[in-house]
Structures are given as structure tokens and as C-alpha cells.
């Protein structure tokens, strides 16, 4: 489960826009620090390497300069890690209020910083909700059904946050903050459909930025293997050396689960008994499974298949993560399933366990 874990999609995206060089002025206050204490400003959010040093005087600090871009940065105190604030350097008068309370620092004064603070306030509220539920379901000896209920509540909160990010991006789509959200948050928060829609709302000059053009290319490629698309045929070898056609196997069944796995994948091995039971239960009703192995060693692949008594067709080019089929479907973690109909139309992706069985049961009524 991912809980608001921000990931940067492209390492170059932090310099958000090119414009005429303009001045910025940072006016800040620092609670919990003394005169002479040092703050550091980093423009590298991955390493934290300082680019500027700021000295506290009378509980205040200032910094000024010029910038030709809007850039996510952080000011922090090395001797007290809890004192920090991510903010945007951009033209204008920026305010920063540092405190020694977790999540208590605030930024503002410019468009991006004002909107960033509003979003962070929402994150704090949502984070407290998640922590409260997590402490209850993990910190107490409670029944499994109650644990499952708590997990669903957390998932609903995550979905609420994702909706908030999308709404905030749309509301700011004509300024740098909307562009920042669009390029900063991963697919777990801004799904491909909404990302493509938001890109179309960007100003024409912003859509010409290399990152947006790269993102559009990625979205176009992803659309070819998204739910509703029809898969293309691939041919790879089975364990006995015979060439198998993916589509030829798909056409044999009313419904087919394309199962990406590998002998070295612990979660795949754990799920294999479930997949066997699934196959035994629904194969008479028209279910087929095709295993796409991300192994690179034939003997390992063979041993695992024999051990679990796999009954369905298996395919592999023995290239590991470079498996041609896995790369085409942008499979980045396993186990991963793709459910297709008899014509190869993708019905669902990423289902596992009870969700996968429930969907199959519904389709094969």
C-alpha cells in the first residue's frame, strides 16, 4: 500500500518554466532557533546538497536573488532535522515560517507557495485520519474482518486525496502550480486518463515543454495496453521448446488470464496455489491462463513449474525483466495479471486474489 509517497517522475522537472529573469525575496522567521544558527537551502530534493547558507538573526532570516524558473526547494536546519520547509523559489515575495513542530512550518506569498500550503494542510488532515485507522488495526488484536474494513477505509482516504490532487491541478492548470502537480505526482494519484485530459487543458506554450511531450508519448504508448485495448500477438517458446502464439492460446478460451511471474519471485510463488485453484474451478467454464515467465534460467523455470504442478501454457524468451511481452505491457512488478476476452480485448489489469476471482466469476456466469 502506498500512502502519499511522492515520487518525481522526471529528474529534470523541478525547473518548471523558463521566463525572463525576475527577482525573489524570501522573508522568514524561525521558531526554536537562536541567533547565529545556520539554515541551508537546497535545490536538489534528492540529495539535499546545500546551495545557499542562511544565518538566523533576531529569529529572522532573509534571502534574495533572481530566478529564471519556478523551482521546488527546501530550507532546513542541519542540527535540528524537524525544522524544515519545502517551498518554491519563484519571482515575488516569499514568506516562510519555520517551527520545531512536525508539519507546523508554513510558506506563502506567491502563487505556487500559497497553493502548496493549502495542499499540505489537506495532507496533514488526511494523514492524521490514516494514522488513526492504522494505529487501531495494527496496534490492537482485532478480527481480520475489522482489519479488512480499516484497510478499505485507508484506500478510500487515498482515493479522496487523489481526487483532491486532480481537482487542484485542474484549478491551477494555467499557472506553474498546476503544471507542477501534473508532472510531480505518480499514476497512483493522477491516473493516465485524467493526466491526458489535464495536458489538453494546459496553455499551448506549456504543452511544448519537453517533459509534457515526453509524457504524452508515454500516455499514447500506455493507451495501447490499457483496459479496452486489444492486445497484439507475440510468439515465445514454451518449456518444451515449442513456439507458442499468445493470441492462438487466447482464442481457445472464453476468458484468459495472462499471468506475469517468475520462479525467483516470492509473492508469485505464494500465489501459485491460489492460481491453481482458480484454474481448476473455472477452467470447465471457459477460463484459460497463460503464464509469461520473467525467468532467465530455463532450469529454474522448469523446476518451479514442476513443483507447483502448473497445468496451463507457459511462455518466455528467458530475458528476465527484458521479456518482450512484459516490456510491451509495461509490467514493472510481479505478479501481474491481465484479463482478456476471446478476441484479446483487455478487460482488467492488475487484479489479484479475491478481486481476480470475483471478476472471473462474474464474467463466466
Amino acid at each position: 500500500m502506498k500512502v502519499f509517497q511522492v515520487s518525481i517522475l522526471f529528474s529534470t522537472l523541478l525547473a518548471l518554466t523558463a521566463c525572463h529573469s525576475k527577482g525573489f525575496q524570501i522573508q522568514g522567521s524561525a521558531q526554536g532557533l537562536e541567533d547565529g544558527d545556520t539554515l541551508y537551502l537546497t535545490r536538489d530534493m534528492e540529495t539535499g546538497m546545500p546551495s545557499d547558507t542562511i544565518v538566523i538573526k533576531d529569529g529572522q532570516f532573509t534571502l534574495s536573488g533572481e530566478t529564471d524558473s519556478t523551482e521546488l526547494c527546501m530550507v532546513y536546519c542541519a542540527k535540528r532535522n524537524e525544522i524544515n520547509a519545502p517551498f518554491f523559489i519563484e519571482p515575488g515575495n516569499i514568506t516562510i515560517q519555520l517551527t520545531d513542530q512536525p508539519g507546523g512550518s508554513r510558506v506563502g506569498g506567491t502563487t505556487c507557495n500559497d497553493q502548496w500550503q493549502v495542499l499540505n494542510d489537506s495532507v496533514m488532515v488526511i494523514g492524521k485520519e490514516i494514522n488513526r485507522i492504522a494505529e487501531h488495526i495494527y496496534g490492537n488484536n482485532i478480527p481480520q474482518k475489522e482489519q479488512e474494513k480499516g484497510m478499505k477505509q485507508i484506500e478510500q482516504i487515498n482515493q479522496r486525496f487523489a481526487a483532491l490532487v486532480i481537482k487542484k491541478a485542474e484549478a491551477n492548470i494555467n499557472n506553474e502550480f498546476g503544471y507542477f502537480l501534473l508532472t510531480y505526482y505518480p499514476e497512483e494519484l493522477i491516473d493516465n486518463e485524467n493526466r491526458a485530459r489535464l495536458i489538453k487543458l494546459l496553455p499551448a506554450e506549456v504543452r511544448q515543454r519537453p517533459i509534457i511531450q515526453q509524457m504524452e508519448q508515454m500516455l499514447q504508448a500506455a493507451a495501447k495496453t490499457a483496459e479496452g485495448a486489444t492486445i497484439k500477438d507475440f510468439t515465445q517458446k514454451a518449456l518444451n521448446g515449442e513456439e507458442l502464439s499468445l493470441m492462438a492460446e487466447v482464442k481457445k478460451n472464453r476468458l484468459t488470464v495472462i499471468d506475469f511471474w517468475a520462479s525467483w519471485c516470492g509473492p508469485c510463488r505464494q500465489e501459485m496455489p491460489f492460481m491453481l485453484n482458480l484454474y481448476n474451478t473455472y477452467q470447465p467454464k471457459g477460463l484459460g491462463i497463460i503464464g509469461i515467465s520473467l525467468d532467465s534460467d530455463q532450469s529454474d523455470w522448469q523446476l518451479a513449474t514442476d513443483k507447483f504442478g502448473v497445468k496451463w501454457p507457459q511462455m518466455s524468451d528467458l530475458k528476465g525483466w527484458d521479456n518482450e511481452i512484459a516490456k510491451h505491457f509495461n509490467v514493472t512488478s510481479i505478479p501481474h495479471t491481465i484479463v482478456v476476452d476471446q478476441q484479446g480485448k483487455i478487460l482488467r489489469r492488475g487484479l489479484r486474489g479475491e478481486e481476480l476471482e470475483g471478476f472471473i466469476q462474474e464474467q463466466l456466469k
Side-chain angles (χ1 to χ4, degrees):
M1 179 184 68
K2 298 183 179 178
V3 182
F4 310 142
Q5 182 177 3
V6 174
S7 67
I8 297 174
L9 301 181
F10 303 95
S11 61
T12 57
L13 69 81
L14 294 178
L16 299 181
T17 179
C19 59
H20 297 297
S21 179
K22 294 182 180 179
F24 68 87
Q25 175 77 31
I26 299 174
Q27 186 68 46
S29 61
Q31 183 186 58
L33 295 179
E34 300 176 353
D35 283 4
D37 282 345
T38 301
L39 296 174
Y40 296 101
L41 177 83
T42 180
R43 298 168 186 259
D44 188 336
M45 299 296 283
E46 293 185 359
T47 68
M49 183 68 66
S51 59
D52 292 281
T53 301
I54 310 169
V55 178
I56 301 297
K57 183 178 181 181
D58 298 328
Q60 307 289 316
F61 63 93
T62 61
L63 182 70
S64 60
E66 291 191 341
T67 181
D68 58 1
S69 65
T70 298
E71 189 173 10
L72 181 64
C73 303
M74 177 181 284
V75 62
Y76 65 94
C77 178
K79 75 174 186 178
R80 297 189 62 182
N81 292 332
E82 73 274 16
I83 300 180
N84 66 80
F87 73 102
F88 291 89
I89 282 184
E90 61 181 339
N93 296 316
I94 302 164
T95 61
I96 301 176
Q97 299 172 15
L98 294 176
T99 76
D100 52 7
Q101 300 300 313
S105 296
R106 302 188 68 80
V107 301
T110 59
T111 298
C112 282
N113 287 301
D114 286 341
Q115 294 299 322
W116 181 242
Q117 187 60 58
V118 170
L119 184 62
N120 284 338
D121 289 342
S122 298
V123 170
M124 290 297 293
V125 172
I126 290 172
K128 288 179 180 178
E129 289 185 58
I130 288 179
N131 289 338
R132 176 180 55 79
I133 297 170
E135 287 174 2
H136 174 65
I137 63 178
Y138 295 122
N140 300 287
N141 187 18
I142 62 174
Q144 183 176 350
K145 284 189 176 181
E146 191 169 348
Q147 287 186 3
E148 292 173 353
K149 179 181 177 182
M151 291 299 295
K152 287 182 179 179
Q153 289 175 330
I154 289 176
E155 180 60 30
Q156 289 171 352
I157 294 171
N158 276 331
Q159 291 173 0
R160 197 172 83 220
F161 179 63
L164 173 65
V165 170
I166 292 169
K167 182 178 180 180
K168 182 68 69 174
E170 185 167 3
N172 289 274
I173 203 65
N174 289 318
N175 62 53
E176 291 302 321
F177 192 67
Y179 171 77
F180 166 78
L181 295 177
L182 186 57
T183 53
Y184 190 63
Y185 283 106
E187 186 179 350
E188 288 83 1
L189 287 175
I190 303 180
D191 60 86
N192 287 348
E193 183 178 349
N194 274 300
R195 198 180 301 275
R197 179 179 64 83
L198 290 169
I199 285 175
K200 292 180 180 179
L201 298 177
L202 286 168
E205 65 275 13
V206 178
R207 289 191 66 178
Q208 298 305 310
R209 295 179 185 176
I211 293 171
I212 295 298
Q213 293 187 339
Q214 181 182 355
M215 189 175 287
E216 285 192 292
Q217 291 174 0
M218 291 173 61
L219 289 171
Q220 289 169 5
K224 295 178 181 179
T225 59
E227 293 178 4
T230 300
I231 66 172
K232 59 179 287 188
D233 192 22
F234 287 91
T235 300
Q236 289 186 0
K237 287 186 178 182
L239 278 163
N240 62 5
E242 177 187 351
E243 293 282 347
L244 290 184
S245 160
L246 181 62
M247 278 303 301
E249 295 300 322
V250 165
K251 289 178 180 179
K252 294 177 181 179
N253 315 301
R254 289 179 57 197
L255 198 70
T256 300
V257 176
I258 303 173
D259 180 34
F260 293 88
W261 75 292
S263 65
W264 44 260
C265 167
C268 301
R269 297 174 73 94
Q270 291 173 7
E271 287 201 355
M272 195 57 74
F274 168 82
M275 296 298 289
L276 284 163
N277 183 65
L278 191 74
Y279 182 79
N280 290 333
T281 302
Y282 295 98
Q283 191 273 337
K285 299 181 180 181
L287 176 69
I289 299 179
I290 302 171
I292 310 296
S293 170
L294 272 61
D295 279 285
S296 55
D297 186 289
Q298 171 117 2
S299 60
D300 290 342
W301 178 25
Q302 180 76 66
L303 285 171
T305 303
D306 292 344
K307 177 179 179 179
F308 291 108
V310 175
K311 303 176 180 180
W312 48 86
Q314 294 279 318
M315 303 169 61
S316 183
D317 56 12
L318 296 178
K319 294 181 180 180
W321 283 109
D322 287 329
N323 181 283
E324 184 184 11
I325 303 176
K327 289 176 68 175
H328 173 76
F329 287 103
N330 193 32
V331 175
T332 57
S333 65
I334 52 175
H336 183 81
T337 62
I338 298 176
V339 184
V340 301
D341 66 14
Q342 201 163 18
Q343 288 72 47
K345 179 182 178 180
I346 298 174
L347 304 178
R348 294 296 299 273
R349 289 194 60 156
L351 295 182
R352 293 169 60 183
E354 292 181 359
E355 284 189 328
L356 177 59
E357 183 170 12
F359 182 75
I360 289 170
Q361 185 179 46
E362 180 67 25
Q363 293 295 310
L364 295 179
K365 279 183 178 179

